[in-house]
């Protein structure tokens, strides 16, 4: 295997490098989430971090990386503990498609049952203990793995149980994730687990781009040679990080700095106190990294910029990032604290000082002098550089539309949103489905619903069904002792059922009749509510609009609900109503998606009053769409005293249901569509 790209060869991406260094100096900061489009080398930079982390002293013979200074008495390998040794720090990668066993380790029940030996193979959580756990495309991680990860991160312990046999071991790790926000957002609980977030984008500066490309070419031509030429600078950086770790316990967080932190956190309306703590820890790490023994306002500013963006209360559609001016205003509002001797603060994780680094501080070089640490503008930008104002997307066209007086023919802004009823695809997807939270689907996770003969490699043993299958044969197999005589043919697999995400295809009537009397505003509000719901259920969404003489695929299937919201807001309205065209376009989109993403079931939401004034009557097109097998819901937008009931008939033609716009709200739940 060729050498990884060296950290010190990375050009630009200052925030990302700084965030990683902060965490290397103080693991208590709690990791980094890196957001950015493809091709920004974010994974490369994260992987390069491993070379900078101080080594870890471990107990010999222990697969769970017990600390020789405080070995875990409950360690599964406690009986094999043998002296002390030392190993390099680890950066363990959790692949998005990993099985539960791979993550938490596997209890080999087949072996346990047939030989009586308890067999536990440690998983990635054990490997990552006292190191880094890295998840590329963390937003695509299966819900079930996310839950396991959150449990382990919260407890610092991984707990595995199979049919009453249990094992537990320590699992404390730095969580680093990278993601492309266009492919979907993170669950809030997981988002909150990351200490810092960084947005990355490729530099727009030609000279810098040229350097990036030149270095990349040199690396690809000769990875080992290239890495060797940066080995010394990487080693220097590692030594500086180790030095900063040693300095960290002596760094002081003065009363004024603490006041600055709490003022900022309050100004940006963050949830709970976790943000304040992370900010304090990051500011302390920054001071240690700069070779200072006291936190400054610049440390606080930089820490806030990295620790607060993902903790602000905001809707999924608001732009991420912090407003620099608001940051400065909040800092300016802090009253100076009268000068006095800084008091030593109580130790402990909640005292505003980080826990002393538990890993590797002793193995670290102590020769690093403060000067070099403070001088590393090459690899860690100084706070001044790092806080230069950046363009922050604070105003959206949607906002402007909302405040502008309505012009004739201008798109109507969405009306109020609400919590919609849960629309589900009926039945259970036997093919596994895409991870999500909408409709029922079989899968490797979820609740146990039955047992069957294994269909492939045994994923999850159903113990009682296996024993029941073996029981009738015990006499014939010559069972003598206490153990059960098992054959491979007895094994039964657990069948589990969880939730899947769907493709929610909106087909929206944007004709003139819908645009009348601000009706479209209510319709957009309803669709936006369904989009918010789809975001939480991790669906893919797509949007077709029909008006005048044709139907438009306004938004092809995507996981970016933000994109859908923008297109919806800007949707033009007016003209005739080609309902058939809309339905046929939907059938086309479904046919393509059935090939591209076959396991994902579709839910078509037709938003219309059922009228058609252009093209043929919708009966044939509806039958055609119904044959695609997708579940259909018609949202009936007909209003007024005299109702024609056309949308209800369309619902029947589509083999689905119709519900009135007002019934979409969860409060007006009718139960009709809760077919799950
Ligand atoms: Zn151990």
């Amino acid at each position: 295997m060729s050498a990884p790209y060296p950290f010190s060869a990375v050009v630009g991406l200052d925030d990302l490098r700084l965030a990683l260094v902060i965490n290397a100096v103080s693991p208590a900061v709690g990791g980094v989430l890196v957001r950015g489009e493809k091709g920004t080398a974010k994974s490369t930079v994260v992987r390069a971090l491993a070379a900078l982390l101080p080594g870890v002293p471990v107990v010999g013979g222990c697969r769970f990386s017990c600390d020789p200074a405080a070995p875990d008495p409950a360690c599964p390998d406690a009986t094999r503990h043998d002296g002390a040794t030392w190993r390099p720090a680890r950066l363990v990668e959790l692949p998005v498609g990993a099985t539960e066993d791979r993550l938490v380790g596997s209890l080999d029940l087949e072996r346990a049952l047939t030989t009586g030996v308890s067999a536990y193979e440690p998983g990635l959580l054990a490997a990552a203990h006292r190191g880094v756990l890295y998840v590329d495309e963390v937003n695509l991680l299966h819900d079930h793995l996310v839950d396991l990860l959150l449990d382990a991160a919260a407890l610092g312990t991984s707990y595995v149980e199979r049919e009453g046999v249990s094992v537990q071991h320590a699992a404390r790790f730095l969580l680093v994730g990278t993601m492309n926000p266009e492919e979907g957002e993170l669950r809030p609980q997981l988002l909150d687990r990351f200490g810092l977030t960084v947005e990355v984008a490729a530099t727009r500066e030609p000279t810098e781009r040229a350097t990036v490309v030149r270095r990349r070419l040199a690396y690809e031509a000769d990875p080992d040679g290239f890495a060797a030429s940066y080995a010394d600078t990487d080693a220097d950086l590692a030594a500086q990080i180790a030095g900063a770790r040693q300095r960290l316990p002596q760094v002081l967080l003065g009363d004024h700095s603490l006041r600055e932190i709490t003022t900022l956190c309050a100004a940006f309306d963050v949830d709970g106190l976790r943000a304040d703590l992370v900010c304090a820890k990051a500011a302390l790490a920054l001071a240690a990294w700069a070779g200072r023994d006291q936190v400054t306002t610049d440390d606080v500013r930089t820490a806030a910029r990295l620790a607060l963006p993902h903790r602000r209360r905001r809707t999924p559609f608001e732009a991420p990032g912090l407003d620099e001016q608001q940051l400065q205003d909040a800092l300016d509002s802090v009253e100076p604290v009268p000068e006095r001797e800084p008091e030593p603060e109580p130790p402990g994780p909640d005292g505003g000082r980080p826990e002393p680094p538990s890993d590797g501080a002793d193995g670290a070089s102590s020769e690093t002098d403060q000067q070099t640490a403070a001088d590393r503008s090459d690899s860690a930008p100084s706070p001044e550089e790092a806080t230069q104002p950046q363009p922050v997307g604070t105003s959206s066209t949607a906002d402007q539309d909302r405040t502008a007086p309505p012009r004739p023919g201008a798109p109507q802004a969405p009306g109020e949103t609400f919590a919609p009823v849960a629309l589900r695809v009926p039945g259970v997807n036997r093919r596994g489905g895409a991870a999500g939270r909408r409709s029922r689907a079989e899968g490797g996770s979820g609740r146990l619903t039955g047992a069957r003969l294994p269909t492939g490699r045994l994923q999850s043993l159903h113990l009682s069904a296996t024993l029941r299958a073996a029981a009738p044969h015990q006499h014939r197999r010559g069972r003598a002792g206490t153990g059960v005589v098992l054959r491979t043919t007895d094994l039964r697999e657990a069948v589990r059922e969880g939730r899947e995400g769907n493709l929610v295809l909106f087909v929206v009537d944007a004709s003139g009749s819908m645009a009348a009397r601000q009706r479209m505003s209510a319709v957009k509000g309803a669709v936006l509510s369904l989009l918010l719901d789809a975001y939480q259920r991790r669906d893919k969404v797509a949007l077709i609009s029909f008006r005048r003489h044709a139907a438009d695929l306004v938004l092809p299937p995507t996981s970016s609900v933000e994109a859908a919201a923008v297109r919806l807001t800007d949707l033009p309205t007016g003209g005739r109503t080609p309902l058939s065209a809309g339905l046929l376009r939907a059938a086309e989109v479904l046919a393509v998606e059935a090939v591209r993403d076959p396991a994902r079931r579709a839910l078509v939401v037709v938003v219309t009053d059922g009228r058609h004034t252009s093209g043929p009557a919708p009966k044939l097109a509806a039958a055609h769409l119904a044959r695609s097998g997708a579940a259909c819901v018609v949202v009936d937008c007909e209003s007024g005293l005299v109702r024609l009931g056309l949308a209800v008939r369309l619902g029947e033609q589509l083999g689905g249901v119709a519900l009135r716009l007002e019934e979409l709200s969860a409060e007006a739940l009718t139960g009709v569509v809760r077919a799950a």
Side-chain angles (χ1 to χ4, degrees), residues 45-50 53 89-93 127-128 131-134 176:
V45 184
V46 170
R47 292 191 180 104
L49 175 70
L53 296 171
R90 286 191 194 130
L91 184 132
V92 174
E93 258 193 82
V132 178
L133 186 68
Y134 171 42
V176 178

Side-chain angles (χ1 to χ4, degrees), residues 349-386:
D350 294 337
R353 308 251 319 248
E355 301 95 301
S358 53
D359 304 335
D362 328 73
S365 150
S366 58
E367 278 111 286
T368 327
D369 63 297
Q370 303 195 349
Q371 210 55 48
T372 46
D375 237 21
R376 294 302 304 178
S377 56
D378 174 47
S379 49
S382 70
E384 287 78 13
E385 276 176 306

Side-chain angles (χ1 to χ4, degrees), residues 235-259:
D236 284 350
L237 257 180
Q240 282 153 20
I241 285 169
R245 265 198 195 190
Q246 286 197 319
R247 192 174 304 117
L248 184 62
Q250 281 87 51
V251 180
L252 283 173
L253 177 71
D255 284 345
H256 184 71
S257 300
L258 181 55
R259 188 80 65 86

Side-chain angles (χ1 to χ4, degrees), residues 267-462:
F268 282 97
D269 195 19
V270 295
D271 283 320
L273 280 172
R274 207 173 134 74
D276 307 58
L277 277 171
V278 173
C279 247
K281 289 171 181 176
L284 284 159
L286 279 163
W289 173 239
R292 279 184 268 102
D293 54 12
Q294 180 104 30
V295 169
T296 66
T297 299
D298 281 336
D299 294 333
V300 171
R301 194 202 318 271
T302 306
R305 213 164 40 76
L306 298 171
L308 298 192
H310 59 301
R311 297 206 161 80
R312 288 166 54 205
R313 290 196 191 124
R314 63 177 183 99
T315 72
F317 306 131
E318 249 181 275
L322 286 192
D323 187 290
E324 298 279 342
Q325 190 57 48
Q326 195 186 349
L327 194 66
Q328 190 54 50
D329 291 347
L331 279 175
D332 290 343
S333 73
V334 180
E335 302 275 324
V337 177
E339 263 192 57
R340 59 182 173 82
E341 286 294 296
E343 273 174 37
E345 287 161 56
D350 294 337
R353 308 251 319 248
E355 301 95 301
S358 53
D359 304 335
D362 328 73
S365 150
S366 58
E367 278 111 286
T368 327
D369 63 297
Q370 303 195 349
Q371 210 55 48
T372 46
D375 237 21
R376 294 302 304 178
S377 56
D378 174 47
S379 49
S382 70
E384 287 78 13
E385 276 176 306
T387 52
Q388 269 166 14
Q390 292 168 337
V392 178
T394 48
S395 69
S396 71
T397 48
D399 285 337
Q400 286 155 13
D401 277 355
R402 228 166 268 145
T403 50
R407 286 162 281 130
Q412 288 178 23
E416 250 178 75
T417 57
F418 49 83
V421 292
L423 302 175
R424 304 197 197 281
V425 176
V428 181
N429 188 351
R430 304 280 169 207
R431 300 169 70 182
R437 279 192 288 280
R438 187 175 292 277
S439 308
R440 295 165 62 190
E442 269 184 16
S445 59
R447 71 193 168 87
L448 191 64
T449 55
R452 66 177 168 212
L453 283 164
T455 46
R457 191 186 80 85
L458 185 68
Q459 297 286 349
S460 167
L461 184 78
H462 195 299

Side-chain angles (χ1 to χ4, degrees), residues 43-67:
S43 315
T44 308
V45 184
V46 170
R47 292 191 180 104
L49 175 70
L52 305 189
L53 296 171
V56 185
V58 290
V59 168
C62 175
R63 293 171 299 165
F64 301 88
S65 302
C66 275
D67 184 350

Side-chain angles (χ1 to χ4, degrees), residues 25-261:
V25 171
S26 173
V29 169
V32 189
L33 174 66
V34 191
R35 297 159 49 95
E37 56 198 10
K38 279 196 164 56
T40 41
K42 48 189 188 298
S43 315
T44 308
V45 184
V46 170
R47 292 191 180 104
L49 175 70
L52 305 189
L53 296 171
V56 185
V58 290
V59 168
C62 175
R63 293 171 299 165
F64 301 88
S65 302
C66 275
D67 184 350
D72 177 8
C75 172
D77 279 354
T79 54
R80 303 190 217 169
H81 282 182
D82 180 21
T85 175
W86 188 91
R87 65 160 172 77
R90 286 191 194 130
L91 184 132
V92 174
E93 258 193 82
L94 167 60
V96 162
T99 59
E100 177 180 344
D101 280 1
R102 182 99 180 88
L103 180 63
V104 299
S106 60
L107 265 171
D108 190 342
L109 281 180
E110 289 177 57
R111 207 172 128 206
L113 288 170
T114 52
T115 65
V117 178
S118 98
Y120 175 66
E121 280 303 317
L124 296 174
L125 286 179
H129 178 45
R130 304 172 72 200
V132 178
L133 186 68
Y134 171 42
V135 195
D136 190 12
E137 300 190 302
V138 63
N139 50 335
L140 306 183
L141 199 61
H142 193 291
D143 267 1
H144 188 55
L145 293 184
V146 171
D147 290 339
L148 292 168
L149 204 58
L150 288 173
D151 285 351
L155 302 170
T157 302
S158 174
Y159 186 80
V160 189
E161 189 185 274
R162 292 275 184 285
E163 318 280 350
V165 183
S166 69
V167 175
Q168 71 175 71
H169 63 81
R172 287 186 301 277
F173 48 84
L174 205 59
L175 187 60
V176 178
T178 46
M179 62 177 275
N180 178 356
E182 286 168 10
E183 290 168 347
E185 286 294 343
L186 272 194
R187 269 164 67 180
Q189 302 95 314
L190 183 55
L191 191 60
D192 189 51
R193 272 291 144 203
F194 290 96
L196 311 178
T197 43
V198 179
E199 302 272 337
V200 296
T203 171
R204 301 274 172 258
E205 211 282 299
T207 318
E208 199 169 294
R209 289 175 84 101
T211 313
V212 173
V213 172
R214 193 165 294 290
R215 288 195 184 172
R216 195 73 218 179
L217 290 174
Y219 172 72
E220 279 168 18
D222 175 15
D224 294 332
F226 183 82
S229 65
Y230 283 89
D232 283 350
T233 39
D234 260 18
D236 284 350
L237 257 180
Q240 282 153 20
I241 285 169
R245 265 198 195 190
Q246 286 197 319
R247 192 174 304 117
L248 184 62
Q250 281 87 51
V251 180
L252 283 173
L253 177 71
D255 284 345
H256 184 71
S257 300
L258 181 55
R259 188 80 65 86
E260 287 177 331
I261 288 168

